[in-house]
């Protein structure tokens, strides 16, 4: 009995001496926090789940977990189980439910819902050219032809697996002679090759 009372008083003393911490989600103070991660404390699993749940399964990660940057720049956390899934080529996040393309790429469903059509992508390209001219005086007067291609075609053009787009430019010189006067005119033929199935945000970054 004395031993039990001693243990109880010892526990009470430690509790009173413990530093009061503030929950990073609800703001409540407590000497005992249920969960700690990334230098922050949470008073309950409910609070932890609201801030640091796995992007895929929604559970609070136990042990090691992965942090990825989403397509809009937000942090996405993935528990150890979900981090083993195939990674989306658009945002590099692992995903259980994906679209699979013939060239071997996979894409998570959040990214697939933000993919522009060819017409929308072409409109986006023209808008970016307009904005560059208006904001920075960068004028690209020559015509640019847009081509959406898969990973294999882009690899053949760039000889690389690490790019999402490239610009190819050909210059044609036309020479005209009238009497003793010779004039040369240069015509630019520009083609923007862009990886297909890119979400609008990723496409805008490549075009710019």
């Amino acid at each position: 009995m004395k031993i039990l009372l001693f243990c109880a008083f010892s526990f009470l003393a430690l509790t009173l001496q413990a530093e009061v911490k503030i929950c990073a989600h609800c703001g409540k103070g407590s000497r005992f926090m249920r969960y700690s991660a990334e230098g922050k404390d949470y008073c309950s699993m409910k609070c932890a789940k609201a801030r640091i749940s796995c992007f895929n399964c929604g559970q609070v990660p136990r042990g090691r977990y992965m942090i990825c940057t989403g397509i809009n720049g937000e942090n996405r956390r993935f528990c150890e189980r979900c981090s083993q899934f195939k990674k989306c080529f658009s945002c590099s996040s692992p995903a259980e439910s994906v679209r699979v393309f013939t060239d071997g790429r996979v894409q998570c469903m959040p990214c697939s819902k933000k993919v522009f059509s060819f017409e929308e992508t072409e409109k986006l390209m023209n808008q970016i050219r307009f904005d560059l001219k208006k904001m920075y005086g960068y004028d690209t007067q020559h015509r640019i032809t847009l081509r959406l291609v898969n990973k294999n075609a882009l690899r053949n053009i760039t000889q690389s697996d690490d790019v999402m787009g490239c610009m190819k430019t050909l210059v044609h010189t036309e020479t005209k002679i009238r009497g003793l006067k010779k004039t040369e005119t240069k015509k630019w033929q520009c083609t923007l090759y862009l990886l297909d199935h890119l979400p609008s945000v990723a496409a805008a970054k490549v075009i710019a």
Side-chain angles (χ1 to χ4, degrees), residues 27-201:
K28 293 180 180 179
S30 175
R31 289 186 170 85
F32 292 98
M33 288 292 165
R34 183 77 182 274
Y35 194 86
S36 296
E38 301 173 24
K40 296 180 180 180
D41 301 302
Y42 302 92
C43 65
S44 66
M45 292 303 290
K46 181 180 179 180
C47 286
K49 190 173 183 179
R51 287 292 188 93
I52 54 173
S53 59
C54 174
F55 184 80
N56 183 62
C57 68
Q59 299 301 312
V60 176
R62 293 287 191 178
R64 296 185 301 174
Y65 60 92
M66 173 192 295
I67 299 179
C68 293
T69 302
I71 196 69
N72 294 315
E74 76 282 9
N75 282 337
R76 295 177 177 178
R77 296 164 180 82
F78 297 89
C79 65
E80 192 168 5
R81 170 187 168 273
C82 293
S83 64
Q84 305 302 315
F85 293 133
K86 291 183 177 180
K87 293 179 175 55
C88 170
F89 86 93
S90 307
C91 66
S92 299
S93 296
E96 185 174 12
S97 179
V98 296
R99 293 180 64 190
V100 181
F101 303 115
T102 56
D103 56 9
R105 289 176 296 157
V106 298
Q107 187 174 53
C108 66
M109 300 315 293
C111 283
S112 69
K113 294 176 181 178
K114 298 179 180 179
V115 174
F116 272 7
S117 66
F118 176 84
E119 291 74 17
E120 291 172 320
T121 305
E122 193 172 40
K123 185 178 179 181
L124 175 65
M125 178 185 71
N126 293 329
Q127 182 62 49
I128 290 174
R129 295 180 71 186
F130 175 80
D131 292 340
L132 288 173
K133 179 181 179 180
K134 183 178 179 180
M135 298 173 64
Y136 305 106
Y138 184 70
D139 191 5
T140 54
Q141 295 180 353
H142 46 275
R143 183 172 181 272
I144 298 178
T145 302
L146 177 66
R147 294 282 184 268
L148 299 181
V149 296
N150 64 21
K151 181 180 179 180
N152 297 329
L154 191 60
R155 183 194 296 119
N156 292 334
I157 297 168
T158 64
Q159 304 301 311
S160 174
D161 286 324
D162 299 326
V163 295
M164 291 190 176
C166 72
M167 179 79 77
K168 290 290 183 180
T169 304
L170 295 176
V171 182
H172 300 279
T173 302
E174 292 184 355
T175 303
K176 293 181 180 180
I177 300 176
R178 290 184 179 180
L180 298 175
K181 188 176 181 181
K182 178 182 177 181
T183 58
E184 290 185 348
T185 303
K186 290 184 176 180
K187 292 186 176 181
W188 299 75
Q189 182 181 346
C190 300
T191 304
L192 173 61
Y193 294 95
L194 193 67
L195 197 61
D196 59 4
H197 300 291
L198 280 177
S200 55
V201 175

Side-chain angles (χ1 to χ4, degrees), residues 4-23:
L4 290 175
L5 288 173
F6 176 77
C7 291
F9 280 118
S10 298
F11 178 78
L12 180 61
L14 290 173
T15 301
L16 294 175
Q17 292 174 8
E19 178 185 359
V20 175
K21 297 180 180 180
I22 304 299
C23 176

